[in-house]
Amino acid sequence: VTSSLLQMQARRFADPNVKTAFQETQDRLRSISLIHDLLYRKEQDGMIDLRDYLGRLLQELSATYGASARGIAVDLDAERIEIDLDRGPPLALAVTEAIINAFKHAFEPGQGGRISVSARRRDEQIEIVVRDTGRGVSGGTENDSSLGMKLIRAFAAQLGGSFSLESDRGAVFRLTIPA
């Protein structure tokens, strides 16, 4: 309902920057609603299967940002990892920001490429990596003062984890949180 209201409001504006801001807010809301949808479908004492969640999130964002039409392949390589509901929304929002950033900034028009998402347990940590084959980032972080980067930083701190953004034949976003 909230997403539909935002979509109706966005239609009132001609400015593409305003429309983009509404779309980004809708994407953030969608990432949270996916978590709740997974909980309602499964009775797992408030646990979310991260692999299922990331798969659905990638599918939704790929459709929203026209991955196929733009020649952008998207893939997921994730272990079955369960996370509790309290950590679900901030984790979902941080990963959503990283994926949206790749769709919006990684590829030149008509270029195409690949966005890969992985989730693994590493010792007592969970590591989620969003990698693209686009232009990468200069100076380590792309627009460090952007709302997306501020949100990622806040969500990583809320989860007791850390994140990094680097260039390695494209941009590599890495979020590490306690298991």
Side-chain angles (χ1 to χ4, degrees):
V1 171
T2 306
S3 184
S4 295
L5 289 171
L6 287 171
Q7 191 173 20
M8 289 173 23
Q9 281 293 99
R11 288 187 198 129
R12 297 179 55 215
F13 299 95
D15 184 340
N17 292 327
V18 172
K19 288 182 178 284
T20 297
F22 275 103
Q23 179 63 52
E24 289 172 355
T25 301
Q26 284 179 279
D27 293 338
R28 292 173 184 129
L29 287 171
R30 188 178 298 116
S31 73
I32 295 171
S33 71
L34 283 174
I35 285 176
H36 291 284
D37 185 49
L38 284 173
L39 284 175
Y40 290 126
R41 289 176 184 236
K42 299 177 181 175
E43 295 180 24
Q44 295 181 324
D45 294 333
M47 300 299 284
I48 299 162
D49 183 325
L50 191 56
R51 180 170 59 186
D52 286 349
Y53 172 75
L54 290 173
R56 291 191 56 197
L57 179 65
L58 279 171
Q59 190 175 36
E60 293 271 341
L61 292 176
S62 293
T64 299
Y65 287 92
S68 294
R70 294 173 59 195
I72 300 171
V74 180
D75 59 69
L76 173 65
D77 178 22
E79 295 175 2
R80 187 166 297 281
I81 300 170
E82 289 189 346
I83 58 169
D84 59 274
L85 180 58
D86 291 338
R87 297 190 313 156
L91 178 62
L93 288 166
V95 173
T96 297
E97 291 298 322
I99 295 169
I100 289 172
N101 191 57
F103 276 118
K104 286 175 51 180
H105 303 293
F107 309 106
E108 298 291 336
Q111 177 188 12
R114 178 173 297 282
I115 298 172
S116 300
V117 178
S118 66
R120 298 262 177 266
R121 283 189 183 275
R122 304 261 187 241
D123 300 318
E124 296 297 315
Q125 304 286 317
I126 297 171
E127 180 184 71
I128 300 171
V129 177
V130 177
R131 177 184 295 272
D132 66 60
T133 59
R135 63 181 128 198
V137 292
S138 59
T141 59
E142 185 169 302
N143 196 359
D144 200 38
S145 64
S146 72
L147 176 60
M149 292 305 288
K150 288 177 182 177
L151 288 172
I152 290 170
R153 188 175 296 107
F155 295 136
Q158 183 178 347
L159 292 162
S162 62
F163 82 96
S164 64
L165 182 61
E166 59 195 46
S167 283
D168 180 13
R169 291 172 279 163
V172 180
F173 165 86
R174 187 176 320 274
L175 175 66
T176 305
I177 63 170

